[in-house]
């Protein structure tokens, strides 16, 4: 997985019109699909006439529309000074869409997205972890075809999030263990669902790791905006994943498998992890760990996330055992983050899923453990903030599919 999307917007200036059009489109995308012409001109730093040229190119290609007489500004952060209002640039209703897929242990989400990261439609189905890979691939194929058809706009790609490390070169999912799958050639199997007979034949399919994609989404559209080195750590159903944005790009390592942050040691000699080590962050601070810390059962697997949220709700309303459990997990998260801060020197840490809720409930326990465990954190005081997006992984899968248009 190599999301070229993450090319810094203002890294180069110049007179290449095609390059200016791409940079303008990327800037508009990062402003969630709506910006004033003045904002885009300021960001691109390439002169008014170059912006005019790039804009008319994008309008001609049906990608953006320009409102020369905007009645009211609804653009977050837009200047509200007096004088003639700047033209408003938005994503065109004729622009292409991408289809994003988020496969989890218990649900399959498929949505249509346009530039700017706006979700047009979503469909959710319940799934059971089953070793029948083919069956799941057929369900993905059927839902993608349905959503693409309903969008009634050109579809330029499919982005798929899987709960597994994913090889960058060929979209091979190395270890979708929570699905009870062996390693699978995910990209090829999904692409095979769009054979010659369908309108999606030959469509590019991109596959990425769920936490990596959520990191990308939070960086582009959420709590990580404008960070330089953003560390993202999250938990969903079981386990803990993460991602790193470094220098404006998702850091994926040599093969695409980097940032398995769940196996950072958070409690030496602690709980046995499925990786064989003890005290890994994911064995100490995921939904199951929170339930165990609160003295509640961590099985069955169904509804784990919900039951973990109940613990946090009980902690918020004063239940001492639940409060203790939240403090314990927060401290483990802080200890795990301390290791990562020493290694990665982030300028922002974004926590997603259950960890965002833990952070909101008990920020002091987390901060204290982070501070104690990391000499770098003591030096630079890295801000730790909750994620902002409601469906970051799905948004990230859409980012993956939109990347070629913005490259
Ligand atoms: Zn582990």
């Amino acid at each position: 997985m190599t999301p070229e999307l993450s090319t810094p917007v203002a890294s180069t200036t110049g007179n290449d019109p095609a390059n200016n059009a791409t940079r303008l489109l990327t800037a508009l995308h990062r402003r969630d699909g709506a910006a004033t012409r003045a904002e885009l001109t300021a960001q691109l730093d390439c002169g008014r006439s170059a912006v005019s040229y790039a804009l008319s190119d994008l309008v001609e290609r049906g990608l953006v529309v320009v409102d020369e007489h905007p009645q009211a500004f609804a653009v977050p952060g837009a200047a509200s000074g007096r004088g003639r209002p700047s033209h408003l640039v938005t994503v065109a209703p004729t622009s292409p869409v991408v289809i994003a897929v988020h496969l989890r242990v218990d649900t399959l989400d498929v949505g249509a997205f346009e530039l700017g990261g706006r979700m047009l439609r979503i469909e959710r189905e319940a799934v059971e972890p089953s070793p029948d890979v083919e069956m799941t691939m057929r369900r993905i194929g059927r839902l993608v075809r349905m959503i693409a058809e309903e969008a009634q706009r050109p579809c330029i790609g499919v982005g798929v999030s899987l709960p597994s490390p994913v090889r960058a070169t060929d979209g091979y999912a190395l270890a979708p263990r929570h699905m009870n799958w062996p390693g699978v050639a995910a990209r090829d199997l999904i692409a095979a669902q769009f054979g010659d007979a369908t309108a999606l034949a030959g469509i590019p399919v991109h596959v990425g790791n769920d936490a990596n994609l959520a990191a990308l989404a939070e960086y582009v559209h959420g709590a990580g905006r404008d960070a330089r080195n953003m560390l993202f750590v999250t938990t969903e159903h079981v386990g803990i994943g993460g991602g790193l944005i470094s220098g404006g790009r998702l850091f994926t390592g040599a093969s695409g498998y980097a940032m398995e942050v769940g196996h950072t040691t958070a409690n030496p000699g602690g709980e046995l992890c499925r990786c064989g080590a003890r005290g890994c962050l994911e064995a100490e601070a995921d939904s199951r760990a929170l339930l165990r810390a609160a003295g509640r059962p961590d099985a069955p697997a169904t509804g784990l996330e919900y039951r973990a949220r109940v613990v946090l709700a009980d902690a918020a309303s004063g239940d001492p055992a639940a409060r203790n459990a939240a403090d314990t997990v927060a401290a483990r998260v802080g200890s795990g983050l301390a290791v990562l801060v020493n290694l990665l020197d982030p300028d922002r840490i974004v926590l997603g899923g259950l960890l965002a809720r833990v952070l909101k409930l008990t920020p002091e326990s987390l901060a204290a453990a982070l501070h104690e465990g990391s000499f770098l954190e003591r030096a630079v005081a890295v801000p730790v903030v909750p994620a902002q997006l409601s469906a970051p992984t799905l948004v990230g899968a859409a980012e993956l599919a939109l990347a070629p248009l913005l490259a």
Side-chain angles (χ1 to χ4, degrees):
M1 172 181 55
T2 45
E4 296 83 355
L5 168 71
S6 44
T7 305
V9 171
S11 64
T12 55
T13 57
N15 298 320
D16 177 358
N19 188 31
N20 286 340
T22 304
R23 290 171 58 226
L24 195 145
L25 201 60
T26 303
L28 182 66
H29 175 69
R30 290 188 167 205
R31 287 173 180 269
D32 300 339
T36 66
R37 186 183 171 125
E39 288 171 320
L40 294 170
T41 305
Q43 186 164 355
L44 263 64
D45 189 28
C46 64
R48 288 173 61 90
S49 61
V51 169
S52 293
Y53 193 85
L55 264 181
S56 43
D57 176 28
L58 295 172
V59 169
E60 233 168 73
R61 287 159 60 195
L63 294 171
V64 308
V65 287
V66 181
D67 183 352
E68 296 185 359
H69 306 285
Q71 292 303 306
F73 287 99
V75 180
S80 57
R82 296 209 182 109
R84 198 155 57 93
S86 178
H87 297 172
L88 184 63
V89 182
T90 51
V91 172
T94 49
S95 67
V97 298
V98 295
I99 309 299
V101 177
H102 179 196
L103 178 66
R104 308 192 334 155
V105 174
D106 53 356
T107 49
L108 168 63
D109 289 344
V110 179
F113 284 80
E114 65 176 11
L115 277 166
R118 190 165 78 91
M119 184 158 66
L120 305 169
R121 162 136 167 61
I122 184 174
E123 190 74 28
R124 168 169 288 188
E125 285 189 0
V127 295
E128 297 282 335
S130 155
D132 190 346
V133 177
E134 244 320 300
M135 182 195 69
T136 306
M137 295 302 174
R138 282 198 301 275
R139 288 181 76 169
I140 292 174
R142 178 176 52 74
L143 268 184
V144 168
R145 286 195 300 272
M146 184 184 91
I147 300 272
E149 199 171 299
E150 285 175 7
Q152 298 196 324
R153 285 160 66 167
C155 180
I156 57 166
V158 177
V160 181
S161 157
L162 293 178
S164 166
V166 175
R167 191 158 62 202
T169 47
D170 58 358
Y172 177 83
L174 180 75
R177 290 201 190 100
H178 301 309
M179 303 297 300
N180 293 331
W181 289 0
V184 293
R187 190 187 69 191
D188 293 349
L189 287 172
I190 294 165
Q193 305 301 317
F194 315 119
D196 301 342
T198 81
L200 297 177
I203 193 160
V205 174
H206 313 264
V207 182
N209 163 264
D210 50 7
N212 272 200
L213 295 180
L216 182 62
E218 285 291 338
Y219 172 67
V220 178
H221 299 291
R225 257 184 234 263
D226 306 319
R228 281 170 294 128
N229 269 5
M230 183 202 87
L231 171 64
F232 178 75
V233 181
T234 191
T235 177
E236 279 194 342
H237 184 81
V238 286
I240 284 183
L244 177 73
I245 303 290
S246 179
R249 283 180 183 278
L250 190 60
F251 174 77
T252 55
S255 314
Y257 300 149
M259 296 303 292
E260 283 291 321
V261 298
H263 304 285
T264 305
T265 303
N267 181 24
E271 291 280 340
L272 184 65
C273 178
R274 67 189 165 96
C275 76
R278 282 197 175 274
C280 289
L281 186 57
E282 80 166 39
E284 297 283 341
D286 74 347
S287 315
R288 293 167 304 186
L290 179 67
L291 285 161
R292 284 194 303 271
R296 303 184 192 187
D298 63 353
T302 326
L304 267 179
E305 214 178 327
Y306 171 75
R307 297 203 305 280
R309 274 191 239 153
V310 171
V311 173
L312 297 183
D314 291 350
S317 34
D319 177 329
R323 177 72 205 198
N324 254 339
D327 277 333
T328 302
V329 164
R332 298 285 190 249
V333 173
S335 301
L337 289 179
V339 177
L340 295 167
V341 165
N342 283 349
L343 284 176
L344 303 169
D345 183 22
D347 65 337
R348 197 175 311 167
I349 299 172
V350 178
L351 298 183
L354 190 72
L355 302 186
R357 291 169 188 269
V358 168
L359 174 68
K360 285 178 190 167
L361 183 69
T362 171
E364 314 79 20
S365 310
L366 193 152
L370 172 56
H371 193 71
E372 192 185 304
S374 165
F375 80 95
L376 254 181
E377 201 284 333
R378 291 196 290 275
V380 298
V382 190
V384 186
V385 297
Q388 287 175 353
L389 303 177
S390 56
T393 313
L394 200 62
V395 174
E399 290 298 314
L400 207 55
L402 283 167
L405 182 64
L406 300 168

